Amino acid sequence: MRGRNSAPYNGAADAPEKCFRCTHCAMQQTLASESLPDALRRGDSNASMSSISVPRGEDDFQFRISDVIAKKRDGLTLSPQEIKHVIKVTMSGQAQECQLGSLLMAIRLRGMSPEETMTLTKEMVASGCVLEWPEEWSGLLVDKHSTGGVGDKVSLPLAPALAACGCKVPMISGRGLGHTGGTLDKLESVPGFSSQQNPEQRCQREIQRRNKVLDFLPRPATSQQGPDRCCLSHWTISLARTLQRHGSLAISSSVTMMEILSSVGCCIVGQSKNLVPADKIFYEMRDVTATVDSLPLITASIMSKKVAESLSALILDVKFGEAAQSPTIEEAKHLANSLVNVGVSLGIPTIALITNMDNPIGYCIGNSLEVIEALECLEGRGPEDLKELVLQTGGHLLWLCGKANSATHGAEKIASVLSDGSALQCFRKMLEAQGVKPDIARTLSSSSKLGKAAHTEELTVPRTGTVELIRARPIAEILNALGAGRKKATDVINHSVGAELLVRVGQRVEKGAPWIRIHYEKPLLQERQRQTLQNALCISDQPAFIPASLIRDVIHDSSVRREGEFS
């Protein structure tokens, strides 16, 4: 995307060489103008610029939030104007918490159509800032999102590896809640690391004008083959430019974040208060209203933040299993399809990996221990399952953004930067740029000490056999109770608490051999917790075996095109 001071987007004149075939793109010149015609609201591509006017008064449509709740309660489809009204009253504080909770539960029980989910996602994006990047970064901006797991440290080596391959990675990550770990919590076990880099400047929103402008944005053109990739890219640009032009939304990136991406190529930061603020309100409400597992709400929450990042390509790691948000692979595929469809429809080439989350990823669980294991991966070593996820996730992203001829070629490039040390150097530079002292950042390695727990205890194998399964969820829950995680967002965590697995799935083990080492301080490890941990180790009598790949499927939309490709 272009810088703030560049000329306005001029539709087909600014389009790629093959864009002349796309009649929808001719509409984009109107979107860049000072005001928008009523005809565009009706989707009339032949609208004249002479009749342009933007109403500045009250909304044409008036709704009561209670009527919207009742409509969704009864299983009816909400109109785009009703969904816009919900976001509007949420942001203005006009909706009561009990009303929002009721609406979320109605959505959880009745669901949403793909069109409703798409509208909700777009309105949530428009509730805050949209990041804007230098034009020369077009096609290079990539990110990854995981639905959460145990021992999931993939982002730590992945972001610098992608940067070492020439990508720009503005990774906006979260914190752990419940049994799943958070990327920011892991990084903050490195002394001095700061996740607050202000991804955007303070927004100056005019809610009524913003909502009125959004009404006029035409939908991307579609065909039997799916959404038109050319139009999708221009829809994303038009959304940003139209909102910027009308003064409804400040679209910018802070100097700090821009400098980090310019000099290092990657940063891992927390979501700021101005990026999709509607999602923050909804997320907190979902957490206390038992609606966290609602598919349309999950989709809108994840994808609104990714659209606001103005990405060139996105990959999703959608997990299934006992320790995942989706217990079954069918549920994971359903969620993945919803996420991919929204991403592609909003102009971001998106694919999803379906991965198993019954066993922990790697050998280490817990914040500082996982950083050490991530450093092993950055040094070209580390557990095979972790390396597989890093290589395949990175490989698919490099293919999506046009930096590799195939996902396999992309995986080879990721493996190369891991083995030659360039990814490790990017990681160290990122840490230094985000507040870690140079003498720590420049020497950090897998042999570094990142805080040592006061106590360690090893548990032993109860009987001879083969490790069939190491149940991730009960291990994570015990570690959280010992201080490694949170029960609520305000809890303080102990970065040194964690566990090391001393055996792997498929390995033949003998009775009495140590299989796990627990690192803890206060509270102390209790006997009932020891028993829970012992029950997490499942031993069978079958011969030793090689575990199956964690990646069980790849979900993509038939209309997905790599950056720069047009059919």
Side-chain angles (χ1 to χ4, degrees):
M1 302 183 73
R2 299 185 177 201
R4 289 180 61 84
N5 297 323
S6 61
Y9 180 69
N10 290 317
D14 279 352
E17 182 178 352
K18 293 187 179 181
C19 189
F20 65 86
R21 65 174 181 80
C22 174
T23 57
H24 178 77
C25 292
M27 300 173 67
Q28 307 309 319
Q29 182 176 358
T30 304
L31 289 175
S33 66
E34 285 295 335
S35 54
L36 304 172
D38 289 337
L40 283 185
R41 187 174 185 177
R42 301 191 301 269
D44 183 359
S45 61
N46 296 316
S48 170
M49 295 287 287
S50 62
S51 61
I52 291 173
S53 63
V54 177
R56 298 299 175 96
E58 294 296 320
D59 288 346
D60 295 333
F61 301 93
Q62 294 294 328
F63 304 98
R64 293 193 310 167
I65 186 70
S66 57
D67 293 336
V68 178
I69 295 169
K71 188 173 181 181
K72 181 48 65 178
R73 177 203 64 195
D74 295 340
L76 302 177
T77 299
L78 301 181
S79 70
Q81 292 80 13
E82 287 169 324
I83 294 173
K84 181 180 72 173
H85 179 71
V86 168
I87 299 300
K88 177 179 178 179
V89 296
T90 298
M91 296 304 301
S92 65
Q94 293 174 285
Q96 300 177 45
E97 287 190 359
C98 61
Q99 292 177 316
L100 291 179
S102 297
L103 179 60
L104 293 176
M105 183 56 73
I107 293 172
R108 163 66 178 79
L109 297 177
R110 292 296 193 170
M112 277 184 150
S113 68
E115 291 75 20
E116 287 177 289
T117 303
M118 181 79 65
T119 300
L120 179 60
T121 303
K122 291 194 291 186
E123 293 294 343
M124 288 172 67
V125 172
S127 72
C129 292
V130 178
L131 301 186
E132 185 180 56
W133 309 107
E135 183 180 10
E136 57 268 24
W137 292 2
S138 177
L140 301 177
L141 290 148
V142 300
D143 198 1
K144 161 255 184 189
H145 177 84
S146 170
T147 56
V150 177
D152 187 358
K153 54 196 76 72
V154 171
S155 293
L156 303 187
L158 177 64
L162 289 166
C165 290
C167 294
K168 300 295 182 183
V169 191
M171 190 171 284
I172 297 177
S173 299
R175 301 189 180 279
L177 192 61
H179 73 278
T180 60
T183 299
L184 299 182
D185 296 326
K186 303 181 204 308
L187 284 170
E188 287 175 354
S189 65
V190 181
F193 180 85
S194 173
S195 63
Q196 301 304 313
Q197 299 301 322
N198 296 323
E200 78 291 313
Q201 297 170 354
R202 182 174 180 84
C203 291
Q204 300 296 324
R205 293 189 303 271
E206 298 177 36
I207 295 176
Q208 291 182 343
R209 292 179 63 204
R210 177 206 68 195
N211 290 339
K212 188 62 64 177
V213 169
L214 282 177
D215 278 345
F216 293 102
L217 280 173
R219 300 178 68 85
T222 59
S223 66
Q224 291 183 346
Q225 288 72 40
D228 189 293
R229 176 68 182 87
C230 175
C231 294
L232 293 172
S233 294
H234 292 159
W235 183 90
T236 305
I237 295 172
S238 296
L239 171 63
R241 293 199 173 282
T242 303
L243 292 172
Q244 181 188 25
R245 186 85 178 214
H246 285 271
S248 303
L249 210 60
I251 307 172
S252 57
S253 305
S254 74
V255 174
T256 302
M257 192 172 179
M258 190 79 76
E259 287 180 347
I260 295 174
L261 289 178
S262 295
S263 60
V264 179
C266 64
C267 60
I268 302 179
V269 301
Q271 180 185 353
S272 76
K273 63 181 180 180
N274 294 322
L275 193 72
V276 198
D279 174 61
K280 287 194 170 186
I281 298 172
F282 279 4
Y283 191 89
E284 291 176 2
M285 292 293 298
R286 288 166 56 205
D287 192 42
V288 297
T289 57
T291 54
V292 170
D293 61 347
S294 168
L295 187 142
L297 296 178
I298 292 171
T299 300
S301 176
I302 292 172
M303 297 309 300
S304 61
K305 292 189 284 287
K306 299 309 175 184
V307 171
E309 287 183 54
S310 303
L311 298 174
S312 307
L314 172 67
I315 192 165
L316 303 156
D317 182 353
V318 181
K319 298 186 180 298
F320 73 94
E322 183 186 23
Q325 192 173 54
S326 301
T328 67
I329 191 169
E330 291 77 18
E331 290 175 285
K333 288 182 178 181
H334 192 34
L335 173 58
N337 277 303
S338 177
L339 293 166
V340 169
N341 289 341
V342 169
V344 171
S345 296
L346 294 183
I348 305 174
T350 306
I351 62 174
L353 304 181
I354 306 297
T355 65
N356 180 254
M357 192 63 253
D358 288 322
N359 302 282
I361 299 172
Y363 290 102
C364 292
I365 311 161
N367 298 293
S368 61
L369 292 175
E370 290 189 44
V371 171
I372 295 300
E373 191 163 66
L375 285 163
E376 289 182 4
C377 183
L378 285 163
E379 293 166 355
R381 302 179 292 112
E384 290 301 317
D385 56 351
L386 174 60
K387 287 197 293 185
E388 178 195 29
L389 289 175
V390 173
L391 295 182
Q392 293 303 315
T393 303
H396 279 91
L397 268 179
L398 290 180
W399 174 75
L400 272 181
C401 71
K403 280 194 161 291
N405 297 325
S406 64
T408 300
H409 179 219
E412 291 171 353
K413 296 182 75 169
I414 296 291
S416 176
V417 297
L418 291 175
S419 62
D420 67 16
S422 55
L424 176 60
Q425 291 305 312
C426 280
F427 184 69
R428 289 170 170 170
K429 290 177 181 178
M430 182 191 75
L431 294 180
E432 185 175 349
Q434 293 190 232
V436 179
K437 292 181 179 179
D439 59 330
I440 297 176
R442 296 175 187 179
T443 60
L444 195 66
S445 70
S446 60
S447 60
S448 300
K449 303 297 182 183
L450 291 178
K452 186 177 181 181
H455 308 284
T456 61
E457 182 176 331
E458 292 181 355
L459 303 182
T460 59
V461 177
R463 71 181 185 92
T464 298
T466 299
V467 179
E468 185 74 23
L469 174 70
I470 301 175
R471 297 176 61 218
R473 188 173 189 126
I475 296 175
E477 290 174 342
I478 295 299
L479 293 177
N480 280 8
L482 293 173
R486 298 179 179 84
K487 292 182 180 178
K488 56 183 183 295
T490 55
D491 288 346
V492 178
I493 65 173
N494 188 331
H495 293 96
S496 65
V497 173
E500 294 176 82
L501 300 178
L502 308 176
V503 300
R504 65 181 184 276
V505 172
Q507 178 181 338
R508 190 75 177 171
V509 293
E510 299 294 327
K511 180 180 179 179
W515 75 272
I516 191 171
R517 181 181 299 121
I518 306 298
H519 298 244
Y520 63 98
E521 293 188 338
K522 290 183 179 181
L524 300 177
L525 189 64
Q526 304 297 312
E527 184 57 38
R528 61 179 178 78
Q529 294 174 325
R530 292 186 182 91
Q531 189 56 52
T532 300
L533 290 169
Q534 287 292 67
N535 292 339
L537 179 67
C538 302
I539 304 293
S540 73
D541 295 323
Q542 70 169 318
F545 63 91
I546 299 174
S549 168
L550 293 181
I551 302 173
R552 304 299 169 83
D553 203 353
V554 180
I555 305 294
H556 59 85
D557 190 282
S558 60
S559 63
V560 167
R561 299 284 185 271
R562 295 192 302 157
E563 185 66 30
E565 283 188 345
F566 298 92
S567 59

